[in-house]
Amino acid sequence: NAGVTQTPKFQVLKTGQSMTLQCAQDMNHEYMSWYRQDPGMGLRLIHYSVGAGITDQGEVPNGYNVSRSTTEDFPLRLLSAAPSQTSVYFCASSRMPGGGANVLTFGAGSRLTVL
Amino acid sequence: EDQVTQSPEALRLQEGESSSLNCSYTVSGLRGLFWYRQDPGKGPEFLFTLYSAGEEKEKERLKATLTKKESFLHITAPKPEDSATYLCAVQGSGAGSYQLTFGKGTKLSVIP
């Protein structure tokens, strides 16, 4: 049981380049989300999905796109990278809480540097 | 808007020296308060969920408690392997009720 798998672990981009961070989970979780973690700040929600074909914005969605074509995968796309997007990105998933507590399982993270 | 403030930002303890980490929060209708542990270079790992004031949960040397305004993570006789950053998060019952709001964390260092 791999849990939540993120690739790549490290990536360096130049300003204006595009790329996709991959996230896959094998727990049949309906809820998936992307967070970014910056020094001196808490984890901030970028986008989330409550099921295949359904996505919504979180606290800091600008500059990022997501899609959810399958239950297992939730890729995060940077269309035109900016230095402000230098961060560590975490994918997290959970069973749909159905009105209860949303206990998240996190991936190991992807460290992105934009020059 | 939900808010979480953790203190202290960093804490150094001698092995065996018990202490507490604080998490103060404001939330519209608490669905859950969460504690996570994060080791360097890794993702957060779930520890506890607390649901209502007065609730307590324990795991090995860790004990989490909850009041209407704050939560404490008590660490009894810590060992060096307890060194990590501890994150607190809340989930409210307002709009976007699946969303968690995280604090900045407390970095704990336990010195042998």
Side-chain angles (χ1 to χ4, degrees):
Chain A
N1 192 345
V4 178
T5 302
Q6 292 184 232
T7 57
K9 291 189 182 299
F10 302 94
Q11 182 71 48
V12 179
L13 291 178
K14 294 181 179 179
T15 297
Q17 287 184 319
S18 63
M19 77 156 300
T20 299
L21 299 178
Q22 301 291 345
C23 175
Q25 53 89 11
D26 61 358
M27 299 172 286
N28 202 30
H29 283 172
E30 293 177 307
Y31 181 89
M32 297 186 74
S33 56
W34 278 101
Y35 286 83
R36 61 177 290 172
Q37 188 174 43
D38 301 294
M41 303 191 73
L43 288 159
R44 291 182 293 168
L45 181 65
I46 304 171
H47 285 285
Y48 67 96
S49 168
V50 297
I54 306 171
T55 63
D56 207 346
Q57 297 180 352
E59 180 185 356
V60 289
N62 292 340
Y64 307 95
N65 279 356
V66 292
S67 61
R68 184 95 179 270
S69 57
T70 68
T71 300
E72 295 78 18
D73 300 299
F74 191 44
L76 179 71
R77 298 182 183 86
L78 286 70
L79 299 179
S80 180
S84 61
Q85 294 179 303
T86 294
S87 187
V88 181
Y89 292 86
F90 289 99
C91 180
S93 71
S94 70
R95 296 187 182 280
M96 283 295 290
N102 192 9
V103 180
L104 298 175
T105 299
F106 283 84
S110 297
R111 181 176 293 274
L112 175 65
T113 301
V114 183
L115 303 175
Chain B
E1 180 181 332
D2 301 340
Q3 292 187 331
V4 175
T5 302
Q6 292 188 245
S7 62
E9 291 184 7
L11 181 63
R12 285 171 61 93
L13 299 174
Q14 291 294 128
E15 184 172 1
E17 179 186 3
S18 301
S19 188
S20 297
L21 282 57
N22 177 263
C23 172
S24 298
Y25 67 92
T26 57
V27 66
S28 176
L30 182 69
R31 285 186 189 260
L33 183 141
F34 308 86
W35 283 98
Y36 284 84
R37 169 189 171 129
Q38 186 174 22
D39 293 301
K42 297 188 177 181
E45 176 184 352
F46 172 74
L47 292 173
F48 304 108
T49 306
L50 301 169
Y51 297 94
S52 59
E55 188 175 3
E56 299 181 350
K57 288 192 176 176
E58 292 187 61
K59 179 180 181 180
E60 296 181 358
R61 295 175 293 282
L62 300 177
K63 179 180 178 180
T65 63
L66 181 64
T67 72
K68 289 186 178 180
K69 294 184 178 181
E70 55 192 351
S71 176
F72 293 94
L73 185 65
H74 306 277
I75 303 176
T76 301
K79 298 182 178 181
E81 53 263 41
D82 295 321
S83 296
T85 296
Y86 291 86
L87 304 176
C88 175
V90 296
Q91 178 189 356
S93 59
S97 61
Y98 296 123
Q99 297 185 22
L100 273 62
T101 298
F102 282 84
K104 297 178 182 180
T106 294
K107 183 176 182 179
L108 174 67
S109 301
V110 182
I111 313 303

